[in-house]
Amino acid sequence: MGFRKIITIILVLLLASGMANCIYAQKNDSIAKKKMRQLFVRAYNNRRNASCLPLADSLYQMAIAAHNRQAEVDALNVRFIYEFFQPNNIANVEKQMKPLLAKAEEYGMTNIYYQTMTNKALYHLREHRYLDAIAFIDKEIEHARKHFSLYYARLFVPLTLCVEGTCAR
């Protein structure tokens, strides 16, 4: 056997053993993701009643253990949405909103950040707190201009126009 053949065989064996380890790790990771996804779907489908809260807590703990940022934010989002659907609940909406916004900013998930902000503005509108909604939206437009981009600031403009009564009915 030549030197080249021996090196080739060694490289093939190393690559094959490395591939087997990668495939095995992906399988375990995908099983954990699948379980978290199933748990999220169950929690989200029950978001209007309190049975979603223990599911969201379990999902949050699993996400932290698996270092899955998206599942972590999803769990916080389910808790926020549960409070969103409760009437006359602005204190709890804001309480659940704070950790969600903190994680969304920390992880660079601006879409979640502004989805949450939009939901809070819609909460004010649903509860007939129109002046609070306008003040909140104006504050968030300024925040978007300073911290993120004009693209996100423009997302709030149609909502502001609607609150001020200029949208089509």
Side-chain angles (χ1 to χ4, degrees):
M1 259 198 193
F3 180 72
R4 239 183 200 176
K5 282 188 176 182
I6 293 173
I7 295 296
T8 305
I9 291 172
I10 291 173
L11 287 175
V12 168
L13 290 175
L14 287 174
L15 286 174
S17 66
M19 285 178 164
N21 288 338
C22 290
I23 292 169
Y24 184 74
Q26 289 174 351
K27 183 179 178 187
N28 286 341
D29 189 40
S30 65
I31 290 171
K33 283 183 181 179
K34 186 176 180 181
K35 286 181 182 179
M36 284 188 277
R37 180 69 184 156
Q38 290 171 346
L39 194 56
F40 169 71
V41 169
R42 283 182 44 217
Y44 186 79
N45 288 341
N46 292 312
R47 67 191 176 274
R48 290 184 180 250
N49 55 40
S51 65
C52 76
L53 297 176
L55 296 172
D57 290 339
S58 297
L59 176 60
Y60 188 72
Q61 295 304 318
M62 287 175 67
I64 290 174
H67 305 290
N68 188 327
R69 291 178 171 188
Q70 184 63 51
E72 192 176 337
V73 171
D74 287 343
L76 293 171
N77 203 9
V78 168
R79 292 188 68 81
F80 171 73
I81 292 171
Y82 167 75
E83 297 298 344
F84 174 84
F85 282 116
Q86 308 307 310
N88 298 319
N89 196 25
I90 192 67
N92 287 334
V93 167
E94 289 178 352
K95 179 181 173 187
Q96 293 301 325
M97 190 175 82
K98 286 179 185 177
L100 176 57
L101 294 178
K103 288 293 181 183
E105 269 192 302
E106 178 184 342
Y107 297 153
M109 297 178 176
T110 53
N111 57 334
I112 300 292
Y113 183 91
Y114 283 103
Q115 174 192 13
T116 305
M117 290 301 181
T118 303
N119 283 339
K120 185 179 177 194
L122 292 173
Y123 185 85
H124 283 302
L125 293 176
R126 190 185 76 208
E127 296 294 320
H128 307 289
R129 305 168 124 219
Y130 303 113
L131 295 177
D132 291 341
I134 290 172
F136 177 75
I137 292 167
D138 286 341
K139 184 180 93 177
E140 286 310 312
I141 287 173
E142 288 305 314
H143 183 266
R145 285 183 180 146
K146 289 178 186 174
H147 293 92
F148 295 108
S149 70
L150 289 177
Y151 170 77
Y152 289 108
R154 290 184 195 126
L155 291 176
F156 286 110
V157 173
L159 193 55
T160 305
L161 295 175
C162 224
V163 171
E164 293 173 351
T166 59
C167 66
R169 293 181 190 239

